[in-house]
Amino acid sequence: MPELKETDAIAEEALPSKSVLGRSVFRQLIRHPSLVPLGAVLLAVLIGSVIMLCAGISPFVAYPAMVRGALAVENLDYTISVFTLICGMALAFALPLRMGEYNLGGNGQLVFGGITAAAIGLYAPLPAWLVIPIALLAGAVAGGLLAAVAGPLSSKLGIPIIITTLLLSTPAVALTSYLVRFQIGEAGSGQAQTARLPEAARLPGIGDLGYTNIGLILIIVLLVAFWLFDSRSALGYELRVLGSNARFGAYGGIGVSRLATGSLAVAGAVAGLVGAMIVAAPPYRFIDGALISPGYTFAGVAAALLAAGRPALLPLTAAVFTILQVGGSGMEREADVPRQLSDVLQAVVVTVLALRTVVEARRARMRRDV
C-alpha cells in the first residue's frame, strides 16, 4: 500500500495543476488565428453602433434592416450575383497572399479583363457558341498579363509587388477609359460605354434568375481548385512556406521569383475573368467606371484578409462583405442610415487586420534581433 501511495503522489506531481492548465488554455485561445478576424468584425459592428447612436439611430433597427436588405427573398438574386464578384476578387487577392504578397492592382486587372471581353464580344468574327468561352478566356489572359508584370519588376529591380500592382492599376484604368471614350465607345451615346453585346456574348443565367448566371459556377470551381492547390499540391505547400518565412523558403531552394510571377499571373487572370463576367452580364456592355465604382475589389481584399487567404474561409468572409455592401441600401431605405456606413465598417475591419500584420512583422523582427 505505501508503494501505491508513492506512485499516486508521483502521478499527481507529473500532472499540471489547474492554474497551469487554465493559463495554457487561455494562451491558446488568445493566440487562435480566428480571434483577430472575429474581433475585427465585432469592433466594426461596435463602432458602427456608436456612430448610429450619436446620430440618434438605433443599431437594433439599422442592422436588421441591413440583413433584410441583403437576404430578403426578393433581393437574393442580386445578392448572389454580388457575392460571386466579391468572391472572385477575394480569390484574386488571396492567392499571392498565401506567399505573403499583396496584389493591390485588382481594379486595373478587372477593367482590363472587362474591356478585352467587350472587344471580343463586339468585334471578333467567331461562331456564336465560341464567343463566350473566348471572351472569358481573353479577359482572364489580359488580367493575368497585367498582374504578371509585377513579378519580374520585384525580382529583377527590387520594386515591392504591393507598390507595382497598385501603380500599374491606375494607367490600366485610364487606358480602358480612353478606349471606351474614343475608340470602341457607342457612337452618339452620352455615356462612355460600348454598344450592347450580342446575344452570343452574354452569360446564360441560372434558371429564371435575372442577375445570377453561370459565373457563380465558375467561381465555385475556381475556389475548389484553389483549395486543392493550396492543401494538396507541392506548389501550394511552397507558397505557404514562403508566406510563413520567405527567407527560410528561399534558403531551402524554393523559387521565389517563379512562384511570385506565377501566383500574380493566376490572380490577375481571376480578376480579369471577373471583369469579363461583369461585362457579359446585365446591362451587357462595358461602362466607364461601372466595374470599379461598386467596390468589388476593396470588398474582395477585405474578405481575403479576414480569411487570411484560406480558401475554405473565403466564401464565408465574402458573404459577410456582400451583406455589408448590398445591405447598405436596405439600411439606408428602412433606417435612414447612409449606405456609406457599410464602407466605414469594411474599412475598420481592414484597418484592424492591417495592424495585425504590422504587429506580427515587428514581433518577428524582434525575435530575429534577439
Side-chain angles (χ1 to χ4, degrees):
M1 292 301 289
E3 292 179 356
L4 287 176
K5 288 182 179 179
E6 186 177 351
T7 304
D8 292 342
I10 294 174
E12 287 179 0
E13 289 178 1
L15 290 174
S17 64
K18 289 183 179 179
S19 59
V20 173
L21 187 62
R23 283 198 299 271
S24 175
V25 171
F26 178 73
R27 196 176 296 116
Q28 289 180 0
L29 283 176
I30 63 174
R31 290 179 178 177
H32 197 277
S34 64
L35 183 65
V36 173
L38 285 176
V41 174
L42 291 176
L43 181 63
V45 171
L46 183 62
I47 291 177
S49 302
V50 172
I51 293 174
M52 283 186 266
L53 288 172
C54 292
I57 300 168
S58 171
F60 297 104
V61 175
Y63 283 131
M66 174 185 286
V67 175
R68 281 195 300 274
L71 301 182
V73 175
E74 61 272 18
N75 298 333
L76 270 182
D77 180 15
Y78 179 70
T79 301
I80 293 173
S81 69
V82 173
F83 167 78
T84 302
L85 304 177
I86 290 178
C87 211
M89 294 310 294
L91 185 56
F93 187 82
L95 188 57
L97 183 64
R98 294 300 272 168
M99 66 173 296
E101 298 292 354
Y102 298 89
N103 172 25
L104 292 185
N107 277 342
Q109 298 147 21
L110 188 76
V111 296
F112 248 43
I115 197 73
T116 305
I120 294 290
L122 288 172
Y123 303 112
L126 296 170
W129 63 271
L130 202 55
V131 175
I132 275 291
I134 294 297
L136 295 180
L137 181 62
V141 170
L145 289 176
L146 178 64
V149 173
L153 290 177
S154 172
S155 59
K156 303 297 182 185
L157 302 178
I159 305 174
I161 287 174
I162 187 173
I163 294 176
T164 313
T165 52
L166 183 62
L167 293 182
L168 283 173
S169 179
T170 302
V173 173
L175 177 60
T176 57
S177 181
Y178 164 77
L179 290 175
V180 76
R181 286 175 184 275
F182 301 107
Q183 298 298 326
I184 63 172
E186 187 178 36
S189 173
Q191 176 83 21
Q193 60 186 11
T194 64
R196 284 170 67 89
L197 300 182
E199 289 285 345
R202 301 176 183 180
L203 277 175
I206 296 179
D208 296 330
L209 300 177
Y211 293 100
T212 306
N213 52 42
I214 62 169
L216 174 64
I217 299 173
L218 290 177
I219 293 299
I220 292 174
V221 170
L222 289 176
L223 279 172
V224 173
F226 181 35
W227 177 76
L228 291 173
F229 170 80
D230 185 74
S231 59
R232 299 287 190 271
S233 73
L235 284 177
Y237 173 74
E238 290 180 355
L239 276 183
R240 286 184 278 118
V241 168
L242 291 176
S244 300
N245 192 325
R247 288 186 177 181
F248 175 79
Y251 182 76
I254 297 176
V256 179
S257 173
R258 172 177 55 88
L259 282 181
T261 304
S263 64
L264 283 170
V266 175
V270 175
L273 177 66
V274 173
M277 287 163 46
I278 296 175
V279 170
Y284 305 112
R285 63 174 86 216
F286 183 93
I287 303 174
D288 190 24
L291 273 67
I292 57 178
S293 59
Y296 300 131
T297 302
F298 183 73
V301 168
L305 284 173
L306 193 60
R310 295 183 179 88
L313 293 180
L314 285 181
L316 179 63
T317 56
V320 170
F321 285 95
T322 301
I323 292 173
L324 282 176
Q325 190 170 97
V326 179
S329 300
M331 186 171 63
E332 187 176 56
R333 189 170 51 251
E334 290 188 30
D336 203 23
V337 177
R339 60 183 305 174
Q340 285 75 14
L341 181 64
S342 62
D343 297 333
V344 174
L345 301 183
Q346 295 179 45
V348 171
V349 174
V350 172
T351 302
V352 172
L353 296 175
L355 286 175
R356 179 188 64 172
T357 304
V358 172
V359 170
E360 288 178 349
R362 286 191 175 182
R363 283 180 177 173
R365 199 160 46 240
M366 290 173 65
R367 282 197 294 267
R368 285 199 301 271
D369 294 341
V370 171

